Amino acid sequence: MLRGRLPVTHMSSTIAPVKPSGTAGPKEVELVLVKEQNGVQFTSSALVSPSGQTHPSGEERETWGKKIDFLLSVIGFAVDLANVWRFPYLCYKNGGGAFLVPYLFFMVIAGMPLFYMELALGQYNREGAAGVWKICPLFKGVGFTVILISLYVGFYYNVIIAWALFYLFSSFSGELPWIHCNNTWNSPNCSDLNSTLLNDTYKTTPALEYFERGVLHLHESSGIDDLGLPRWQLTSCLAVVIVVLYFSLWKGVKTSGKVVWITATMPYVVLTVLLLRGVTLPGAIDGIKAYLSVDFLRLCDAQVWIEAATQICFSLGVGFGVLIAFSSYNKFSNNCYRDAIITSSINSLTSFFSGFVIFSFLGYMSHKHNVALDKVATDGPGLVFIIYPEAIATLPGSSVWAVIFFIMLLTLGIDSAMGGMESVITGLIDEFKFLHKHRELFTLFIVVSTFLISLSCVTNGGIYVFTLLDHFAAGTSILFGVLIEAIGIAWFYGVDRFSDDIQEMIGQRPGLYWRLCWKFVSPCFLLFMVVVSFATFNPPKYGSYYFPTWATMVGWCLSISSMIMVPLYAFYKFCSLPGSFCDVSISYSAICINMCFISTASMLQWSFAVRIFP
């Protein structure tokens, strides 16, 4: 064991490796013909940065076939099912148009800065979620945290796509199966008397019974401790989803970049078609007015701000490692700043646009049943698998509209699932280099493993497993992961160094606004969100079923299993350093104090510069 104090320079390589000064990446010699006179050519030469995909380290890496492949992949991942079933309902519930005030506020101070940070982080370091932390090895655990979260989400997210596929197959019929109560799965409580049904708590709709009894077979399970065997129909649909995912990912971004041309653009076509149909329905305008009605008094409610902040955190997809993985395949000189602004804006605009589609049909349902809008307005899977199919079933040519709608759900889900899987695959392949030569086999291993675990969600009681995973897999843990990521970049690697990296890529340094957000605003915002998520925790439940204590404990173990990677890896890093624990701790403390002093001095310089040079 070494005696004496460990040199600070040794420890600093663990916190944030020192980047040699003057490294501006490889250069090429450019010869320019100035003029030609009497057969003699006069030229000038200059050193220029290469326009290809080479990193300053000299590493080569696969890149997207076209820039649009990357943009569509990011948009396809960020724009998912939650944009359709979550944002419109939150907007309606929290003051209509007034909800846009906290939503846009948090979008500007936290959503866009974090989105920009992840794109730049992945593009500069050209590795997955774990490998990028070579810039600050102490925080590498957060890379494994986000990889695990993406893996956990895949266990149940693929099941939603399987449900949509099941509904799509069922839509190819002369009469949709969720219209009447004369099916084998219907109970005596099922009623076609829709005009009075919504006010009768003892009756159920055909659409509700089709989802819970015809698709899920929930009535054959008494709870999460009575799952039963996987249903072969849903298992087959899940297998089709897994096959599609595998052949979309097995060759890397060269194949997935082509798939998103369909999966990322199709939802916009379908949403537009549904909107054109929806606004012609009776009651549609009333639904849209309710969606946009402004109630500024709701802004006095703290819960409205909390829900806006939560929506921003989850809708943009930061913290899953997907943005890092996708941007790592960009060319080194790609303008990631412009990409961040474009893609995050499109995501928010899509959420807002989908609200017109959803509430035009909800207004129609409210008018048809002669009930208040809040009786039919809901969020989550119930909106897209119960309420919306019921509305479609009342239209002329209902089977055609049902096919169109569920194709949209499929495309929304597939590219988001592809993003999550790519995060896991890229993150692990970049961390364990020997897997590079076996990407096809490793991808097969990941998707098959996901399929096997997902089988628990397609049993009779599978909806209980689904609800438990949805509640714990990416809740507090994803907020914690992004918080540690923001702290690692801003306070340990350093905003100045990070800004230098961005300038090296795109030729311009991030402005004061972005640096202030990365340094102070975003970490404080995320810390607030982590505290709120703990303070407002509610045990999971499905309908009237409350999960037993042991199931909640299993859920917390799942959540902690990803978060614990941060301290575990940091502890491992401490133990693997030469010197005693006291030596390492003293050096580490000295570095933290030094970095805080430098950061404070930098902020004072920025403020002074702003005052002198406004």
Side-chain angles (χ1 to χ4, degrees):
M1 188 69 68
L2 292 176
R3 300 183 64 180
R5 180 170 296 182
L6 183 70
V8 172
T9 53
H10 188 130
M11 182 62 186
S12 65
S13 65
T14 303
I15 305 298
V18 178
K19 183 164 57 177
S21 59
T23 58
K27 300 291 185 180
E28 295 176 351
V29 178
E30 180 182 49
L31 294 178
V32 180
L33 178 63
V34 177
K35 64 178 180 178
E36 182 174 353
Q37 183 177 357
N38 298 328
V40 179
Q41 293 181 339
F42 296 88
T43 62
S44 63
S45 61
L47 289 175
V48 297
S49 297
S51 58
Q53 64 264 21
T54 307
H55 181 266
S57 64
E59 300 174 359
E60 291 189 1
R61 184 176 178 85
E62 179 187 14
T63 59
W64 297 96
K66 296 179 181 178
K67 172 66 175 290
I68 191 66
D69 295 352
F70 165 71
L71 293 176
L72 289 176
S73 295
V74 173
I75 292 170
F77 165 71
V79 177
D80 66 349
L81 295 166
N83 291 74
V84 174
W85 73 37
R86 181 68 176 159
F87 176 85
Y89 176 74
L90 286 179
C91 195
Y92 163 74
K93 188 180 77 168
N94 294 303
F99 180 72
L100 297 177
V101 174
Y103 179 82
L104 293 176
F105 174 73
F106 289 126
M107 174 76 171
V108 170
I109 69 166
M112 281 186 173
L114 292 170
F115 200 91
Y116 181 17
M117 181 186 74
E118 288 205 349
L119 289 185
L121 182 64
Q123 182 172 308
Y124 184 82
N125 294 284
R126 305 183 66 73
E127 292 203 38
V132 294
W133 290 101
K134 61 190 176 186
I135 64 173
C136 191
L138 187 68
F139 283 79
K140 197 171 195 175
V142 73
F144 293 111
T145 293
V146 300
I147 289 173
L148 278 177
I149 291 173
S150 290
L151 186 63
Y152 294 161
V153 170
F155 294 159
Y156 69 91
Y157 195 85
N158 295 336
V159 176
I160 303 176
I161 309 173
W163 292 344
L165 187 61
F166 186 94
Y167 268 81
L168 178 63
F169 290 149
S170 301
S171 300
F172 289 100
S173 60
E175 184 178 70
L176 296 175
W178 54 85
I179 292 180
H180 300 297
C181 292
N182 56 357
N183 302 288
T184 56
W185 58 78
N186 290 126
S187 71
N189 289 331
C190 183
S191 174
D192 290 329
L193 302 177
N194 294 325
S195 58
T196 60
L197 183 57
L198 294 175
N199 294 316
D200 190 343
T201 56
Y202 298 101
K203 295 295 184 179
T204 57
T205 64
L208 173 63
E209 290 211 343
Y210 179 73
F211 179 63
E212 292 191 342
R213 300 172 67 91
V215 178
L216 304 181
H217 288 258
L218 183 60
H219 61 290
E220 298 181 26
S221 171
S222 60
I224 194 169
D225 50 357
D226 179 28
L227 295 181
L229 296 175
R231 308 292 306 185
W232 71 265
Q233 299 94 332
L234 288 178
T235 301
S236 301
C237 292
L238 183 62
V240 172
V241 172
I242 292 298
V243 170
V244 171
L245 286 175
Y246 174 70
F247 285 106
S248 299
L249 296 169
W250 71 321
K251 292 294 185 182
V253 296
K254 295 297 184 184
T255 53
S256 63
K258 299 299 179 287
V259 174
V260 293
W261 279 79
I262 298 174
T263 58
T265 57
M266 180 64 74
Y268 293 96
V269 175
V270 176
L271 281 173
T272 303
V273 172
L274 290 174
L275 178 62
L276 294 176
R277 181 66 182 96
V279 295
T280 64
L281 299 173
I285 301 303
D286 294 332
I288 293 175
K289 286 180 179 178
Y291 171 54
L292 297 178
S293 63
V294 177
D295 181 8
F296 285 111
L297 292 178
R298 294 285 292 147
L299 298 182
C300 299
D301 186 353
Q303 188 63 31
V304 173
W305 293 80
I306 291 173
E307 291 191 344
T310 305
Q311 178 66 14
I312 283 294
C313 286
F314 294 108
S315 68
L316 289 177
V318 293
F320 289 92
V322 178
L323 302 178
I324 295 175
F326 280 165
S327 62
S328 71
Y329 295 107
N330 277 333
K331 293 182 179 180
F332 183 71
S333 58
N334 175 66
N335 191 337
C336 55
Y337 169 69
R338 181 180 58 201
D339 294 345
I341 299 297
I342 292 173
T343 51
S344 59
S345 299
I346 289 177
N347 175 71
S348 296
L349 290 173
T350 304
S351 297
F352 185 64
F353 175 67
S354 66
F356 289 92
V357 181
I358 296 301
F359 274 87
S360 63
F361 278 86
L362 291 181
Y364 164 65
M365 288 291 291
S366 173
H367 176 271
K368 182 176 178 61
H369 299 319
N370 195 27
V371 295
L373 186 65
D374 57 3
K375 293 289 185 178
V376 294
T378 184
D379 65 340
L383 174 64
V384 296
F385 291 110
I386 299 174
I387 301 297
Y388 216 87
E390 183 179 354
I392 289 176
T394 64
L395 300 177
S398 56
S399 295
V400 175
W401 292 109
V403 168
I404 292 174
F405 177 71
F406 289 111
I407 285 177
M408 181 191 72
L409 292 189
L410 280 174
T411 54
L412 279 172
I414 284 290
D415 45 15
S416 296
M418 284 168 52
M421 287 293 177
E422 187 61 56
S423 171
V424 176
I425 294 166
T426 297
L428 295 178
I429 282 180
D430 286 342
E431 182 62 20
F432 305 102
K433 303 296 185 183
F434 70 91
L435 293 173
H436 269 291
K437 297 180 179 179
H438 310 286
R439 179 182 171 105
E440 292 88 348
L441 289 176
F442 183 66
T443 301
L444 181 63
F445 170 75
I446 292 295
V447 298
V448 169
S449 300
T450 301
F451 170 76
L452 293 176
I453 297 176
S454 298
L455 288 177
S456 62
C457 295
V458 295
T459 57
N460 295 333
I463 189 64
Y464 300 122
V465 179
F466 173 92
T467 303
L468 194 69
L469 289 171
D470 184 42
H471 202 81
F472 288 102
T476 302
S477 56
I478 195 71
L479 296 173
F480 172 79
V482 183
L483 171 63
I484 302 301
E485 182 181 288
I487 292 173
I489 294 296
W491 289 96
F492 287 83
Y493 184 62
V495 167
D496 285 337
R497 300 176 73 182
F498 188 57
S499 299
D500 291 339
D501 295 344
I502 294 176
Q503 184 176 19
E504 189 176 341
M505 290 188 295
I506 68 177
Q508 68 181 55
R509 190 177 177 82
L512 175 62
Y513 166 76
W514 298 103
R515 289 177 284 171
L516 284 173
C517 286
W518 290 331
K519 192 76 174 182
F520 299 109
V521 180
S522 295
C524 290
F525 166 81
L526 290 165
L527 179 61
F528 167 75
M529 290 306 303
V530 170
V531 172
V532 166
S533 68
F534 277 109
T536 59
F537 172 77
N538 291 312
K541 71 185 187 73
Y542 179 79
S544 60
Y545 176 81
Y546 286 86
F547 284 73
T549 303
W550 68 263
T552 302
M553 296 303 297
V554 169
W556 273 116
C557 289
L558 181 76
S559 185
I560 293 172
S561 68
S562 58
M563 292 189 285
I564 203 172
M565 298 303 295
V566 174
L568 280 181
Y569 192 89
F571 180 75
Y572 156 74
K573 208 64 184 175
F574 271 115
C575 294
S576 63
L577 289 171
S580 67
F581 181 77
C582 291
D583 294 333
V584 173
S585 298
I586 292 172
S587 299
Y588 172 70
S589 300
I591 291 168
C592 290
I593 293 172
N594 184 46
M595 294 182 69
C596 289
F597 174 78
I598 293 173
S599 299
T600 303
S602 299
M603 297 309 298
L604 290 174
Q605 289 176 355
W606 292 343
S607 301
F608 181 73
V610 169
R611 286 197 296 269
I612 296 180
F613 305 105

